[in-house]
Amino acid sequence: MALRIYPAIHISDGRCVNPSVNGLSRGKVFTGSPLKMAQKWEELGADFVHIIDIDGADSGLSVNSETIREIVENIRIPVQVGGGIRSIKDIDHYLSMGVRRVIIGTQAIENPVFIKEAVNLFGSSRIMVAIDASDGMIATEGRKKFNHFNVTTIASNMKAIGIQSIIYTDILRRGLDNGAGIMQALEITEKLHMNVIYSGGIKSLKDIEAFMDMNIEGIVMGKALYESRVLLSDAINICRRHEKKLDREADYES
């Protein structure tokens, strides 16, 4: 299976924005219409869209859920959503509107029992856990609060509960121009054998290539796509070429 590219749409006040590194300010507004951006990514070949309700992450409420509903109802590709999802009712709300997977961050760190309940109710394929880390500390509550938890330990605890997929974000690199930081993602993948989606600092096709020989499920991309430093079609094609190469090697060995 090819490494999947997840174009990111961060929503604040109903608009598509580039959030700051700490998540507390909104940064540049890319477009007034998150729906148009989602449709653009779909037209350019994306087979999944990654959406974060920035206001929801800050407040603990699903602030932009109607904007997200509009996206889900008007594109054909699946959507995964995070930001402010803190209750079983929130999860059910998003899954009922057609969201494929929900992403839990703060509640996963602070209330693991909640994650166990969510997995039991909705299944492990519908629940993902987000681990946002900065210099060894895990961020919660819209990256306003930091805890000295070990990233791999948290991921291991989530796996024991039934979580199969983790979104790991390197906060120090996300939205910056200093390249990807892959070591923590690699550790989670190799030690725990979990599905890992990496986010943070992807700025070039070379950064994407660094993940090719790792068992990583996908990469979330935002700023590099919006500023056309990387074309989505190029990112997708390089992943598909690598998949074909692996298939040829497997055929040769057999």
Side-chain angles (χ1 to χ4, degrees):
M1 183 176 183
L3 183 73
R4 173 176 281 151
I5 302 297
Y6 291 84
I9 298 176
H10 293 85
I11 302 175
S12 178
D13 295 327
R15 301 175 299 175
C16 182
V17 303
N18 177 43
S20 63
V21 175
N22 62 14
L24 301 180
S25 59
R26 298 302 179 261
K28 181 179 180 180
V29 176
F30 287 120
T31 172
S33 174
L35 171 59
K36 289 182 179 179
M37 188 54 61
Q39 290 171 329
K40 174 183 177 180
W41 295 140
E42 180 180 34
E43 291 169 2
L44 291 175
D47 59 6
F48 224 110
V49 176
H50 175 84
I51 300 176
I52 299 297
D53 180 348
I54 296 295
D55 302 322
D58 284 352
S59 66
L61 302 171
S62 298
V63 178
N64 292 288
S65 65
E66 289 309 306
T67 300
I68 295 169
R69 180 189 297 276
E70 184 183 25
I71 294 173
V72 172
E73 292 178 349
N74 288 280
I75 63 174
R76 296 179 299 276
I77 58 177
V79 169
Q80 61 189 31
V81 173
I85 302 174
R86 307 282 170 85
S87 69
I88 295 299
K89 182 178 179 180
D90 291 337
I91 296 174
D92 184 62
H93 172 70
Y94 277 119
L95 295 181
S96 296
M97 75 167 65
V99 168
R100 178 68 59 85
R101 301 188 294 209
V102 296
I103 304 163
I104 313 296
T106 296
Q107 280 287 67
I109 307 304
E110 299 183 351
N111 186 11
V113 174
F114 166 75
I115 298 299
K116 184 176 183 178
E117 181 182 4
V119 169
N120 288 338
L121 286 172
F122 303 108
S124 58
S125 66
R126 310 301 296 276
I127 310 296
M128 303 184 73
V129 166
I131 299 179
D132 296 352
S134 175
D135 197 22
M137 294 189 293
I138 293 178
T140 56
E141 298 180 13
R143 298 174 184 166
K144 293 180 289 188
K145 180 180 177 181
F146 289 85
N147 304 279
H148 288 277
F149 296 129
N150 180 274
V151 172
T152 306
T153 298
I154 292 294
S156 179
N157 292 341
M158 292 299 105
K159 182 179 180 180
I161 290 172
I163 290 295
Q164 299 175 347
S165 301
I166 295 288
I167 296 182
Y168 173 75
T169 301
D170 188 327
I171 300 174
L172 291 178
R173 295 177 182 271
R174 195 202 58 76
L176 300 177
D177 299 321
N178 51 2
I182 67 174
M183 296 312 296
Q184 191 73 68
L186 180 61
E187 183 179 8
I188 294 172
T189 302
E190 291 187 341
K191 285 188 175 181
L192 304 180
H193 304 288
M194 299 181 76
N195 299 324
V196 176
I197 297 175
Y198 175 83
S199 175
I202 302 294
K203 64 173 184 175
S204 67
L205 293 177
K206 184 177 180 180
D207 289 329
I208 297 173
E209 289 174 345
F211 288 89
M212 289 301 180
D213 294 321
M214 296 170 56
N215 189 27
I216 294 288
E217 177 188 335
I219 298 172
V220 175
M221 295 187 66
K223 185 177 180 181
L225 294 179
Y226 285 95
E227 295 184 348
S228 299
R229 298 188 182 194
V230 176
L231 298 181
L232 179 59
S233 58
D234 289 344
I236 293 172
N237 286 337
I238 197 172
C239 293
R240 288 177 177 169
R241 286 198 299 270
H242 183 71
E243 179 187 29
K244 290 180 180 178
K245 176 185 175 184
L246 293 179
D247 288 343
R248 288 194 299 270
E249 291 175 351
D251 290 341
Y252 178 78
E253 291 176 358
S254 63

